[in-house]
Amino acid sequence: MKLAVVVQRYGQGINGGAELHARYIAEHLARHAEVEVVTTCATDYVTWRNDLDAGSDTVNNIPVRRFRVRHERDPRLFARRSERVFERRHSLDDELKWLDAEGPTSPALVNYLRRHHGDYDFCLFFSYRYYQSYHGARAARGRAVLVPTAERDETIGLSVFPPLFRTVRAIMYNSPEERAMIQAVSGNQSVPGVVVGIGSDVPGNPQPSRFRQKFDIRGPFAVYVGRVDRNKGCTELFEFFERYLREKAGRLTLVLIGQSLLPIPGDPRIRHLGFLNDADKFDAVAAADLLIMPSFYESLSMVALEAWALGRPVLANGKCDVLKGQCLRSNGGLFYENEAEFVETMRSLEQNRWLAGTLGRNGRQFYREHYDWPVIERKYLDVLLRLSSATPAGPAEPEPGWFARRRRDCAAAQEVVARLPAGPVGPRRSGGGQRPEAAAQTPERGRRPA
């Protein structure tokens, strides 16, 4: 079997969630199939500048084809087009212009897939919201499998994407919440799909004391791993943690790991270590008392899974359906929805060692059952093998004509998202249909493990 992994940027030093997800999947599927990556020359997700040469490359023994991006992102143009499609009634043409402004716009990549998609058994497209997935999946026709990595933000409310969700061969979802959201917005229940997620190469023997000695960290601490960014909930995290400090609720220090796009508060109990290599990152998580995930928007939290693999409890933003659902299904974490709950759940995890330990053990078992690499690899291979013996569905939905694309009959994306059902997804009913059932009631925040 020959597979193409199609993603917006790719490389050993590129650690964005979807891009790292794509690299992990490419490297693990290469144990079972011939894998080639199709991507752009960009490394920066803000500018989409052509930092790398077009042509053939190799990353960790995986062949990579790179194609040039036609233009860098113009932030002001992208902001104007985002405001139009997210906040006002607009046309499909407005949305296609938004897609072009978002980037990375690479007609060369799409033209390659149009000419050569028959060289592959399947093309796995990562991140539905980008140019290469929207146009590339159409170019690859009956060979497109989508890994959407969709979050509950305004983009999911755009009208151009439901046809994409309905016409790919299959969808590999990150979470039950992502599947429920995409099915609600597109009505694609007939498209084969499975909740897979992603594994991680977690070391078997991390060294917590090595981390503490290297970075001179003494005493208990909570760790955040990821881009320090308003869009990741870090502004609210700083506000909430500063209240924790003012109330003298405990002795925890907040350790931040990752590139920062925000000013870091000056309190000595907020330590920013910057970007760390994988060894230091895993040592840090193993040394921490807990991991904090403050993001409002996730399709799956890889770092939460890594914390659970290392037996650490997670404290998550309960306003993110995916994080809340992960905590409930794993019984491996607590969640908060306001400042007071943040302080009290921090206090509970610090002072109740039985609670923290039980959550961590539950999380480790959850990771082993659902996210160990043999589990992930088998889910991908099972889907691809079933598709190999199945007859492809009919042709892709035709694109609207010139006049239809310019009719301003698309609702503001914010309004579409506001109408979507919300909340974590509960366990699927035995013998039920393909669609999971949403939890009937909002569970108690910060509940103790069963």
Side-chain angles (χ1 to χ4, degrees), residues 26 115 156 169 184 197 207 271 440-441:
R115 295 192 304 269
I156 197 68
R169 290 292 305 278
Q207 302 295 315
R271 294 275 308 273
Q441 296 180 343

Side-chain angles (χ1 to χ4, degrees), residues 311-333:
R312 312 318 298 156
V314 171
L315 178 59
N317 187 340
K319 293 180 181 177
C320 175
D321 292 345
V322 169
L323 294 177
K324 190 173 185 177
Q326 281 183 273
C327 286
L328 291 170
R329 285 186 292 275
S330 66
N331 231 353

Side-chain angles (χ1 to χ4, degrees), residues 124-381:
L124 276 60
F125 290 89
F126 281 77
S127 298
Y128 81 99
R129 64 179 293 155
Y130 290 114
Y131 182 97
Q132 86 284 343
S133 289
Y134 178 78
H135 293 288
R138 284 184 170 275
R141 295 193 286 277
R143 301 176 191 269
V145 174
L146 183 64
V147 187
T149 67
E151 301 170 356
R152 192 185 176 89
D153 61 10
E154 292 94 339
T155 305
I156 197 68
L158 296 179
S159 299
V160 292
F161 293 119
L164 172 67
F165 297 136
R166 291 193 293 264
T167 54
V168 293
R169 290 292 305 278
I171 299 184
M172 314 300 282
Y173 295 104
N174 267 343
S175 67
E177 288 77 19
E178 182 192 37
R179 176 173 56 186
M181 178 180 67
I182 288 176
Q183 289 183 344
V185 81
S186 68
N188 74 333
Q189 286 85 344
S190 63
V191 176
V194 61
V195 175
V196 183
I198 182 67
S200 182
D201 295 325
V202 179
N205 187 30
Q207 302 295 315
S209 58
R210 178 173 62 189
F211 170 80
R212 289 183 175 277
Q213 182 175 8
K214 183 174 181 177
F215 294 97
D216 191 27
I217 292 180
R218 310 172 191 279
F221 69 93
V223 66
Y224 167 80
V225 181
R227 194 170 68 249
V228 183
D229 188 350
R230 177 185 297 273
N231 292 336
K232 292 294 183 180
C234 292
T235 301
E236 182 179 87
L237 172 62
F238 292 158
E239 294 172 358
F240 288 7
F241 191 78
E242 286 174 327
R243 173 170 170 178
Y244 167 84
L245 296 177
R246 287 195 305 272
E247 293 192 2
K248 296 181 172 52
R251 298 174 49 243
L252 291 169
T253 292
L254 175 61
V255 173
L256 307 164
I257 296 174
Q259 177 188 6
S260 180
L261 302 179
L262 292 174
I264 305 298
D267 194 287
R269 282 174 63 185
I270 301 178
R271 294 275 308 273
H272 179 223
L273 304 183
F275 178 81
L276 301 185
N277 62 38
D278 280 351
D280 286 341
K281 179 191 78 171
F282 287 121
D283 286 352
V285 175
D289 289 64
L290 67 144
L291 173 92
I292 301 178
M293 272 301 300
S295 178
F296 290 90
Y297 306 110
E298 294 289 333
S299 68
L300 179 72
S301 173
M302 290 176 61
V303 70
L305 298 178
E306 290 169 345
W308 284 326
L310 293 169
R312 312 318 298 156
V314 171
L315 178 59
N317 187 340
K319 293 180 181 177
C320 175
D321 292 345
V322 169
L323 294 177
K324 190 173 185 177
Q326 281 183 273
C327 286
L328 291 170
R329 285 186 292 275
S330 66
N331 231 353
L334 304 182
F335 47 89
Y336 61 91
E337 294 188 5
N338 56 52
E339 194 173 61
E341 289 179 357
F342 176 88
V343 172
E344 289 307 314
T345 49
M346 287 275 285
R347 194 198 314 265
S348 295
L349 288 169
E350 181 180 4
Q351 296 179 358
N352 191 330
R353 307 311 298 168
W354 173 87
L355 173 64
T358 302
L359 291 170
R361 287 189 294 274
N362 290 344
R364 179 184 285 130
Q365 185 61 31
F366 178 72
Y367 178 88
R368 288 173 177 170
E369 290 177 358
H370 299 283
Y371 297 102
D372 258 352
W373 273 117
V375 178
I376 301 295
E377 292 170 19
R378 177 47 50 197
K379 286 184 176 182
Y380 268 90
L381 293 172

